[in-house]
């Protein structure tokens, strides 16, 4: 019995030690390596008083691309799937769409043809999917869709498919006085519908592609805003630093992306003085998620392209490439 | 001697009591009246735990127009004066401007003719005054101008002409967990240059009229942003609620303005549920500042028009009109 007690005590002590170690590790879903070390070092160096690289709290801004950086973007961007579903609903009221491209293709359910739709096609679908709706109705519609629609591969809500290691990075930054911003090519109003609940990012910290809205009054004289088709900001490529200037007015200290659309945001971030952290997620794990580049010989893709030129620029400028396969212990919270 | 000591002690006690009273009064430059009471009541009711009108901290947003609400806008908007000075500098390099309207009028120094310039004329001047400059150079130029240019009436810096009672309101709101935003028809980048130092409002909380910027690289390959002539957001009238949705994504709980350009912002604010506070500053004090409306029989003006229709709407909707003459003990910090 005594041996048994000692063993129990030892096991208990080990369990406590492990729990303490976990509690002390802000990034438990990361394998120890250059990427994890760079994040921990950057946060430590920029927030410890007396550090040569100290950054005042008001300047602690970290920006995150969403699709492919914070959640799954394959086989297609989540917002585009939302719009496809919207087109199906719309076609019930407007059957003429069934014979007009690109709607005809969307309604065909022909996955190969859908995968070949061009970016202007997708933009047209997104614009039709939202314009004319009130901002409040759009919000309700996204709320309903995002809490019911499921990803074809995992059969789970899209919001279950956020990357646990990146959620830990966002929380770690916030715990050290950083404000975490989305800087996404996705629609600002779409992302705002779930960003606070899923990522802890409030609406005023969502920079995204944004269309015009139009102020007007309903029959009772109550003012409301309607979504209009004209795009004010296409928040991708050069639009990302432009959107950051428009919406934040400060240069980020850290920026995270995963594709050529994030290149200019990382360049702009890196062009500032003092400590800066730039990181790119590389999708090299077909087994647990997807593998695409075409950098490093990975399969080519139209959704979230990570070219070899971007990979080479990253190496040359000292940006850190995160390997999903090697750097992440687990990808989703639902994994054991 | 004893009587003397008692008198000194009494005077000391009175001075301390007065100091304590001042310390307890968050709005010492306000006369006691309906306007002051409404502000104090609103902040108390929306921030005290258990209050039926409690507003969670993340939703505590108060928006402020700038020109005529937070600082002097007569005889002309400060940013327009800045642009006039810029046109004079530009004309030295481009003498052809001396024969092209509206630049000819600006360069004539004919105050009456200048006062008659139309809004499109002023917009043209503002666009010429900024487009083609890098965002960083523009910031340096505004920094230099705003710390040297002086108002013709007081011979003081424009930033000395902020309304002390409104600074107290902003501080009072912030001390109670509200975030104070600018929602100004003025240029976003212009206002950001001094907003933090003068008003305590950081760049990411300045919503203003905004032009496009263009991302590019200098000869050394360093990325930078250039100001472009195309306007993305004219943050006036209906543009104010539209700008609030674009930049904040939440409906304000309180909104302060002074002219017909603020009407839609106040309507939008008031259309939300729960406690809301809408206030308009009326310029009815020609002696200490300026008097203009034309509401309530005040002289008409093109700069900061406050119509009788707006006055009537305010009364009808329960918005509070602040009388500069009656509600404000002092207007500027430099007054005794």
């Amino acid at each position: 019995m005594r041996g048994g007690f000692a063993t129990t005590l030892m096991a208990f002590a080990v369990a406590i030690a492990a729990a303490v170690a976990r509690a002390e590790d802000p990034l438990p879903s990361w394998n120890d390596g250059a990427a994890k070390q760079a994040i921990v070092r950057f946060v430590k160096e920029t927030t410890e008083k007396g550090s040569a690289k100290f950054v005042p709290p008001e300047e602690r801004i970290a920006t995150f691309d969403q699709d492919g950086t914070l959640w799954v973007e394959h086989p297609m961007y989540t917002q585009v799937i939302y719009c496809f579903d919207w087109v199906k609903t719309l076609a019930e009221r407007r059957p003429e769409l069934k014979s007009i491209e690109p709607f005809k293709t969307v309604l065909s359910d022909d996955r190969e043809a859908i995968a070949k739709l061009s970016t202007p096609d997708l933009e047209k679908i997104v614009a039709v999917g939202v314009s004319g709706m009130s901002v409040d109705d759009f919000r309700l519609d996204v709320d309903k869709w995002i809490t019911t629609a499921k990803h074809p591969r995992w059969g789970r809500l899209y919001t279950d498919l956020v990357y646990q290691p990146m959620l830990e990075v966002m929380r770690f930054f916030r715990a050290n006085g950083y404000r975490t911003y989305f800087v996404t090519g996705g629609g600002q109003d779409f992302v705002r519908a779930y960003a606070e609940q899923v990522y802890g990012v409030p609406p005023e910290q969502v920079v995204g592609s944004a269309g015009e809205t139009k102020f007007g009054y309903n029959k009772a004289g109550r003012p409301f805003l309607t979504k209009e088709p004209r795009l004010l900001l296409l928040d991708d490529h050069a639009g990302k630093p432009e959107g950051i200037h428009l919406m934040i007015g400060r240069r980020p200290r850290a920026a995270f992306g995963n594709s050529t659309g994030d290149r200019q945001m990382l360049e702009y971030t890196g062009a500032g003085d003092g400590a800066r952290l730039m990181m790119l997620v590389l999708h090299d794990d077909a087994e647990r998620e997807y593998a695409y580049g075409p950098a490093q010989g990975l399969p080519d893709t139209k959704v979230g392209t990570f070219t070899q030129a971007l990979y080479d620029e990253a190496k040359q400028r000292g940006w850190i490439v995160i390997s999903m396969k090697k750097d992440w212990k687990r990808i989703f919270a639902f994994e054991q």
Side-chain angles (χ1 to χ4, degrees), chain A residues 142-167:
Chain A
V142 176
D143 274 346
K144 193 178 152 193
W145 187 86
I146 202 82
T147 52
T148 50
K150 291 186 175 167
H151 191 283
R153 173 163 163 188
W154 287 274
R156 288 182 174 270
L157 297 179
Y158 290 93
T159 52
D160 287 343
L161 299 175
V162 301
Y163 305 140
Q164 179 62 22
M166 293 304 294
L167 280 184

Side-chain angles (χ1 to χ4, degrees), chain A residues 15 18 93 172 215 220 243 252 273 280-281 287 294:
Chain A
R93 279 186 289 134
F172 180 46
F215 180 85
D273 300 329
L280 287 169
V281 174
E287 201 174 310

Side-chain angles (χ1 to χ4, degrees), chain A residues 229-299:
Chain A
R230 192 169 91 92
L231 201 64
L232 282 179
L233 173 67
L234 181 59
D235 196 48
D236 205 11
H237 298 278
K240 291 208 173 194
E242 292 162 8
I244 288 168
H245 179 70
L246 176 69
M247 303 276 300
I248 312 176
R250 300 187 196 262
R251 194 189 299 265
R253 286 285 169 167
F256 295 78
N258 77 300
S259 78
T260 50
D262 301 310
R263 183 186 142 207
Q264 290 87 342
M265 172 169 77
L266 269 63
E267 288 175 345
Y268 181 68
T269 301
D273 300 329
R276 308 278 162 172
L277 180 69
M278 283 70 66
M279 301 188 87
L280 287 169
V281 174
L282 181 67
H283 293 257
D284 56 359
D285 193 337
E287 201 174 310
R288 293 189 299 172
E289 203 243 11
Y290 293 97
Y292 51 93
Q296 301 299 92
L298 291 162

Side-chain angles (χ1 to χ4, degrees), chain A residues 121-190:
Chain A
D121 281 339
L122 296 179
E123 282 173 15
K124 197 184 288 179
I125 292 162
V126 171
V128 164
V130 301
S131 68
M133 274 181 111
S134 82
V135 161
D136 295 336
D137 286 347
F138 178 74
R139 173 65 181 257
L140 290 175
D141 198 67
V142 176
D143 274 346
K144 193 178 152 193
W145 187 86
I146 202 82
T147 52
T148 50
K150 291 186 175 167
H151 191 283
R153 173 163 163 188
W154 287 274
R156 288 182 174 270
L157 297 179
Y158 290 93
T159 52
D160 287 343
L161 299 175
V162 301
Y163 305 140
Q164 179 62 22
M166 293 304 294
L167 280 184
E168 292 169 5
V169 170
M170 296 180 92
R171 283 189 203 123
F172 180 46
F173 269 87
R174 288 199 294 265
N176 285 279
Y178 276 85
R179 273 166 295 157
T180 52
Y181 277 78
F182 274 26
V183 177
T184 169
Q188 204 172 70
D189 286 340
F190 182 81

Side-chain angles (χ1 to χ4, degrees), chain A residues 64-76:
Chain A
F64 297 81
D65 166 59
Q66 185 187 211
D67 295 306
T69 299
L70 298 179
W71 74 354
V72 172
E73 64 183 346
H74 267 217
M76 183 51 79

Side-chain angles (χ1 to χ4, degrees), chain A residues 41-60:
Chain A
R41 189 170 57 241
F42 174 82
V43 169
K44 194 173 142 94
E45 283 180 346
T46 57
T47 59
E48 273 187 353
K49 283 207 173 148
S51 160
K53 295 183 174 174
F54 184 77
V55 174
E58 65 273 17
E59 286 180 27
R60 293 183 196 161

